[in-house]
Amino acid sequence: MQLADHNRTNSKSMSPSIYTALVDSLFENPIPMLAGAVCAGTGAVMTAVKTGNPLLWPCAALIIVIGALRALQLSRYEKRETALTPDEAIRWEFNYMVGGSLYAAALGLWCWVVLLGSDDPVAHMLGTAVTVAYIAAGAGRTYGRPKIAQLQVLLACGPMALALIIHGDFYYIGFAFLNVLFFVGLRRITLRLHDVYVKALLATERVGSIAGQFDTALNNMPNGLCMFGADGRLAVLNNRFTAMMEISEDLVQRGVTAREVVSLCVNAGTVSSASAMTIITEIESSKAAEITTLDHAHESERALSWKFQPMVGGGTVVLLEDITERRNSEARISHMARFDELTGLPNRVSFRNEIGRMLKSSDQSTLSALLFVDLDQFKQVNDTLGHPCGDQLLCMVADRLREMLRADDFVARFGGDEFVVFQRAIKTNHDAADLARRIVERLSERYEVDNHQVEIGASVGIALTEPDVSADNLLKNADMALYRAKASGRGTFCFFRDEMAQTVEARRVLELDLRQALANEEFEIYYQPLVNLKSGRISTCEALLRWNHPVRGTVSPVDIIPVAEDMGLIVDLGRWILRKACIECMKWPDAVSVAVNFSSQQFHQRDVLSEVRYALDVSGLPARRLEIEITESSLLRNTQWTHDALAQLHAAGCRISLDDFGTGYSSLSYLHNFPLQKVKIDRSFLEGIDTDRPLTLLRGVARLSADLGMTVVVEGIETNEQLELISADGTISEAQGYLFSRPVPATRIRQLLDASHGRRVIEPGTNIEATRAPA
């Protein structure tokens, strides 16, 4: 055992208890101090009478008065009824130092007057003897606070030694020198006594601290502990052991034996008689051992782990641990490793192992089918009604699947809203098709979840067993068939065919890569600036997704977004982009905003306001610096809900921008009906802009938007000629395009912003991507 020593002899780190003990030592035994005061006062009176020097009477009076006050001070200290606290000790030490210093100064003054005011040797002897005696006695009292002793020596003996030297007699000077040597030695003795006393106090305190630490550690152990000495009697017992065994805490004082302790445990009902015999045998064998007992305590089974360790010189230490919960947890973990906690169905691992076993044990000529079931529109239920309702729905789906299957069939939850069914010993593939059809129909029937009427669908992929097919290949084939069924319109089933493999596998690999890329944050966000045409500065930067795949190379967002939407990842991906962009924007000048594109699916399937507020809270970005770009397709769906959502975002402080205006189902009513603050005119308006008609159309749309109080942006500016045409009438506020900068990484956009907002203003038509940030 190793114990830390935190009580080293260091006055600066002296513990309060030691300090109070040292101060208390100053006031011990007041009788000698009173006797010394009487002697000093008498000596002073005698010198006054002997020499007739009138100055000695005030000195005598001063010594008597100060001595009496010090005696009164010690008497007050003795009458205290409470223990000395550190704060009180500081005050009493100061009082003692003041009283002792005044008394020493009075003695020094007396010696000075006696030695220089008369030539009487008797008076000289009285003065020096009394002063030296006082200093010697004072050193013995103040060894606990050496600084006080040294101060008294200086005040009493300093004037005396100086007066002896001034007197001029050879012997007097020698006596002064001897006094100095005496006082130096006295100082060393005082310091040595102080060290010895402090070390003794530290040792006592350390012993008490170790005992307290040991007792605290022993009684706060998670395990029970008892120790039996070489005589077989109980020597140590902690609180945990008495609580677990429900026995008395005074057994150590009673000196009971191991058999008596175990017998008390049996009487308390915490250990059975059979277990007690095993425990006693192990203790008396004096060998290291470990056993586990299973007994019923208070009508519940309890597992206890007993460890026995013999000690050098005889005796045994017993460690006791309640492992009931651990055994139950291990059992639960074992069950959770094989079964889905929500539905109670076997999980993916258990299903795969079971299918592998069935495939190996079944006859090769026996036909079986694996049906991969995926729920349609389940995600909408989670998003609209919440995950608790989604969990209830999954349990209902599991119950319906159980009802439709035979005893030989096997069903499991594969993960999320996916289930797998293994249909054994079927005659033809029509049996599998019939089961798949019934599954689609049954799972598509209405559910009632928390007083909500819920309707979902199901798609099924079917793979038939072949000779020597593995469980992994069977699952893979069924998954590809499921993908084809979902691509065919959902709510149907599809058998696996060999020609599916190549197309589906390529898509599947892309999906897996996409999931991994999102989980590992392998995406990167590029930023393309929007330049204010009046100031020439960058006002906003649009966040654009990039994916540099290690094998595929640069993957276009055009290929990423549709797959992410089909997989249901677009919401998570959009959330990641939003938070990253907000965090990056915090590194930009305050005048620059960040624009983030919201897909239609992302905008309508999530609580947009909560997501935006969370991103702003995490990043610390003010809402005014976030622009949310939506497309016209988002405005087409659920118009009233869309209007309310946009109004809430606008009320929260965000700016709403309509992206790619002029494509798709463009309608000027959008500009009037929805709370938009910015319109981004699509690059298609720039085609043929050097002719009157396209330019007139562009300026007309821009003027109408500006009149409605919206900022107008033109996308796709690539030439100075285009820039001059759109900015001629001052209606268009901002421009975006390769003329200014291509989309660039975050590090580069910071350089561009530094160039734009640091020391230089970018002239219209300047390619800011080619600029360098000022040093």
Side-chain angles (χ1 to χ4, degrees):
M1 177 183 292
Q2 296 183 356
L3 297 171
D5 184 4
H6 299 294
N7 296 311
R8 306 191 186 278
T9 307
N10 186 340
S11 60
K12 293 183 178 180
S13 60
M14 185 181 298
S15 67
S17 60
I18 293 179
Y19 172 68
T20 54
L22 293 176
V23 173
D24 185 69
S25 68
L26 298 174
F27 296 90
E28 291 180 351
N29 197 5
I31 300 300
M33 179 178 288
L34 180 61
V38 172
C39 291
T42 302
V45 171
M46 290 174 64
T47 58
V49 173
K50 183 72 171 59
T51 63
N53 189 340
L55 295 177
L56 290 175
W57 288 105
C59 293
L62 186 63
I63 291 173
I64 293 171
V65 170
I66 296 176
L69 291 176
R70 295 193 69 199
L72 180 63
Q73 183 186 53
L74 265 66
S75 176
R76 287 179 54 203
Y77 185 86
E78 287 288 325
K79 292 179 180 180
R80 289 182 311 101
E81 297 180 355
T82 59
L84 187 64
T85 65
D87 292 337
E88 292 176 340
I90 294 174
R91 179 168 55 84
W92 279 106
E93 180 186 11
F94 177 77
N95 292 340
Y96 184 91
M97 182 180 67
V98 171
S101 299
L102 291 174
Y103 195 74
L107 290 176
L109 177 63
W110 174 46
C111 284
W112 177 277
V113 175
V114 168
L115 291 172
L116 298 181
S118 70
D119 291 326
D120 191 320
V122 174
H124 293 178
M125 180 192 68
L126 278 173
T128 55
V130 170
T131 301
V132 170
Y134 169 77
I135 293 303
R141 176 178 295 277
T142 58
Y143 66 88
R145 307 303 292 161
K147 290 184 178 180
I148 296 179
Q150 295 169 20
L151 180 61
Q152 291 180 354
V153 168
L154 179 64
L155 294 174
C157 298
M160 182 184 72
L162 185 61
L164 288 171
I165 294 173
I166 295 174
H167 191 278
D169 186 88
F170 172 78
Y171 294 101
Y172 277 67
I173 294 174
F175 184 46
F177 178 71
L178 292 176
N179 278 336
V180 171
L181 293 179
F182 170 72
F183 296 137
V184 170
L186 189 64
R187 176 180 178 275
R188 294 182 64 86
I189 293 172
T190 302
L191 293 176
R192 182 58 183 165
L193 285 173
H194 174 267
D195 288 342
V196 171
Y197 187 58
V198 170
K199 287 180 179 179
L201 289 175
L202 285 171
T204 302
E205 186 180 65
R206 176 165 166 74
V207 170
S209 175
I210 292 174
Q213 291 173 4
F214 180 75
D215 185 66
T216 300
L218 194 67
N219 288 315
N220 285 278
M221 289 175 58
N223 298 343
L225 180 144
C226 63
M227 181 186 300
F228 298 95
D231 59 356
R233 297 191 176 278
L234 185 65
V236 176
L237 182 70
N238 73 349
N239 294 341
R240 179 61 176 159
F241 191 97
T242 60
M244 292 173 65
M245 293 293 100
E246 301 178 11
I247 56 178
S248 175
E249 298 179 356
D250 63 346
L251 298 182
V252 175
Q253 290 77 12
R254 289 158 55 182
V256 297
T257 64
R259 287 184 175 271
E260 290 173 332
V261 172
V262 176
S263 177
L264 290 173
C265 296
V266 173
N267 294 337
T270 52
V271 172
S272 66
S273 299
S275 298
M277 294 302 298
T278 305
I279 296 168
I280 292 173
T281 301
E282 295 295 341
I283 294 176
E284 294 179 347
S285 68
S286 297
K287 295 180 180 179
E290 182 175 352
I291 64 172
T292 300
T293 59
L294 291 174
D295 295 310
H296 284 80
H298 305 297
E299 300 181 355
S300 62
E301 186 178 72
R302 185 167 69 164
L304 299 176
S305 172
W306 301 77
K307 295 181 181 179
F308 307 92
Q309 183 64 44
M311 297 186 297
V312 178
T316 304
V317 176
V318 181
L319 281 175
L320 176 61
E321 180 182 5
D322 189 337
I323 60 172
T324 307
E325 186 59 34
R326 186 201 304 172
R327 288 168 61 93
N328 294 340
S329 297
E330 290 173 352
R332 287 194 298 269
I333 292 172
S334 176
H335 182 273
M336 290 169 60
R338 296 181 295 112
F339 290 88
D340 174 52
E341 185 177 6
L342 179 64
T343 62
L345 295 175
N347 60 14
R348 178 196 300 256
V349 175
S350 179
F351 179 82
R352 184 186 176 282
N353 294 337
E354 188 66 18
I355 294 305
R357 185 189 63 79
M358 290 180 179
L359 290 175
K360 290 180 180 179
S361 62
S362 62
D363 188 354
Q364 293 290 330
S365 60
T366 302
L367 183 64
S368 298
L370 190 146
L371 288 74
F372 210 129
V373 183
D374 182 81
L375 303 182
D376 301 329
Q377 293 89 42
F378 175 77
K379 196 171 187 306
Q380 286 87 327
V381 176
N382 263 346
D383 292 340
T384 56
L385 300 183
H387 288 280
C389 288
D391 291 344
Q392 292 184 44
L393 181 58
L394 289 174
C395 293
M396 294 178 182
V397 169
D399 292 338
R400 292 187 182 186
L401 288 173
R402 289 190 187 98
E403 295 170 358
M404 288 185 285
L405 301 181
R406 304 169 301 172
D408 291 339
D409 297 334
F410 190 74
V411 61
R413 184 186 177 194
F414 208 63
D417 58 353
E418 297 177 332
F419 296 83
V420 282
V421 176
F422 190 68
Q423 190 181 19
R424 302 181 64 186
I426 60 176
K427 296 179 180 179
T428 66
N429 59 355
H430 295 292
D431 294 335
D434 180 61
L435 177 59
R437 186 180 297 106
R438 288 189 288 114
I439 288 175
V440 170
E441 292 174 354
R442 184 73 175 97
L443 297 186
S444 299
E445 293 177 4
R446 183 173 297 176
Y447 301 81
E448 184 173 347
V449 182
D450 280 350
N451 299 322
H452 296 285
Q453 299 295 320
V454 177
E455 291 186 3
I456 59 172
S459 300
V460 181
I462 307 171
L464 301 176
T465 56
E466 300 173 352
D468 300 324
V469 68
S470 66
D472 287 338
N473 285 336
L474 198 61
L475 284 166
K476 182 179 178 181
N477 294 343
D479 192 19
M480 286 189 281
L482 173 63
Y483 179 79
R484 177 60 62 86
K486 294 174 68 175
S488 300
R490 303 177 184 266
T492 185
F493 62 90
C494 181
F495 281 90
F496 170 75
R497 295 188 299 274
D498 292 336
E499 60 268 21
M500 295 180 183
Q502 185 174 0
T503 303
V504 174
E505 183 63 16
R507 171 64 179 253
R508 188 61 175 172
V509 170
L510 178 61
E511 292 180 355
L512 292 174
D513 287 349
L514 192 58
R515 288 185 187 275
Q516 184 176 1
L518 181 59
N520 298 334
E521 296 190 5
E522 296 175 359
F523 297 106
E524 184 178 5
I525 301 180
Y526 276 44
Y527 299 89
Q528 186 175 25
L530 281 70
V531 176
N532 186 291
L533 297 181
K534 292 183 180 179
S535 67
R537 298 183 184 275
I538 298 174
S539 59
T540 308
C541 294
E542 182 179 1
L544 301 169
L545 185 67
R546 293 292 184 269
W547 182 18
N548 296 318
H549 193 277
V551 178
R552 302 171 185 269
T554 302
V555 182
S556 171
V558 177
D559 298 327
I560 299 173
I561 302 303
V563 177
E565 289 181 340
D566 288 344
M567 296 170 62
L569 289 179
I570 191 63
V571 175
D572 295 331
L573 184 58
R575 185 188 305 118
W576 180 84
I577 295 172
L578 175 63
R579 294 176 187 173
K580 284 289 185 181
C582 289
I583 292 172
E584 175 62 28
C585 186
M586 284 295 293
K587 304 173 185 178
W588 302 345
D590 289 340
V592 181
S593 303
V594 65
V596 181
N597 292 282
F598 273 54
S599 71
S600 176
Q601 188 178 127
Q602 178 187 3
F603 187 79
H604 287 88
Q605 292 188 1
R606 283 285 178 179
D607 186 347
V608 179
L609 185 60
S610 297
E611 292 292 347
V612 170
R613 282 177 173 170
Y614 182 76
L616 294 175
D617 290 342
V618 168
S619 62
L621 184 71
R624 61 179 173 78
R625 296 181 62 191
L626 174 62
E627 290 187 7
I628 297 174
E629 293 192 0
I630 60 173
T631 59
E632 296 168 12
S633 59
S634 298
L635 302 180
L636 287 172
R637 295 178 53 188
N638 198 348
T639 304
Q640 184 58 47
W641 185 93
T642 302
H643 182 278
D644 294 341
L646 292 176
Q648 291 177 354
L649 290 170
H650 178 55
C654 301
R655 292 171 58 84
I656 311 299
S657 175
L658 180 59
D659 194 17
D660 298 333
F661 182 78
T663 62
Y665 301 95
S666 299
S667 173
L668 295 177
S669 63
Y670 297 154
L671 307 180
H672 172 69
N673 295 330
F674 292 96
L676 305 172
Q677 288 78 52
K678 181 180 286 189
V679 173
K680 297 183 71 175
I681 299 176
D682 187 68
R683 66 181 63 242
S684 61
F685 276 75
L686 296 178
E687 296 178 4
I689 195 175
D690 53 346
T691 60
D692 291 339
R693 187 179 180 87
L695 181 59
T696 302
L697 178 60
L698 174 63
R699 289 178 175 175
V701 173
R703 188 175 297 108
L704 175 62
S705 303
D707 290 343
L708 291 174
M710 286 177 279
T711 301
V712 181
V713 184
V714 175
E715 301 175 306
I717 303 297
E718 298 183 0
T719 66
N720 283 307
E721 290 74 13
Q722 291 175 335
L723 179 61
E724 291 175 1
L725 289 171
I726 68 167
S727 58
D729 63 350
T731 306
I732 297 172
S733 308
E734 297 174 339
Q736 180 182 15
Y738 289 175
L739 177 63
F740 301 103
S741 173
R742 294 176 178 271
V744 294
T747 54
R748 180 58 180 150
I749 200 66
R750 293 175 207 159
Q751 295 175 346
L752 300 183
L753 290 171
D754 191 25
S756 176
H757 289 263
R759 300 178 181 175
R760 291 183 293 169
V761 176
I762 298 173
E763 296 297 333
T766 301
N767 189 311
I768 58 176
E769 187 181 0
T771 62
R772 302 183 66 86

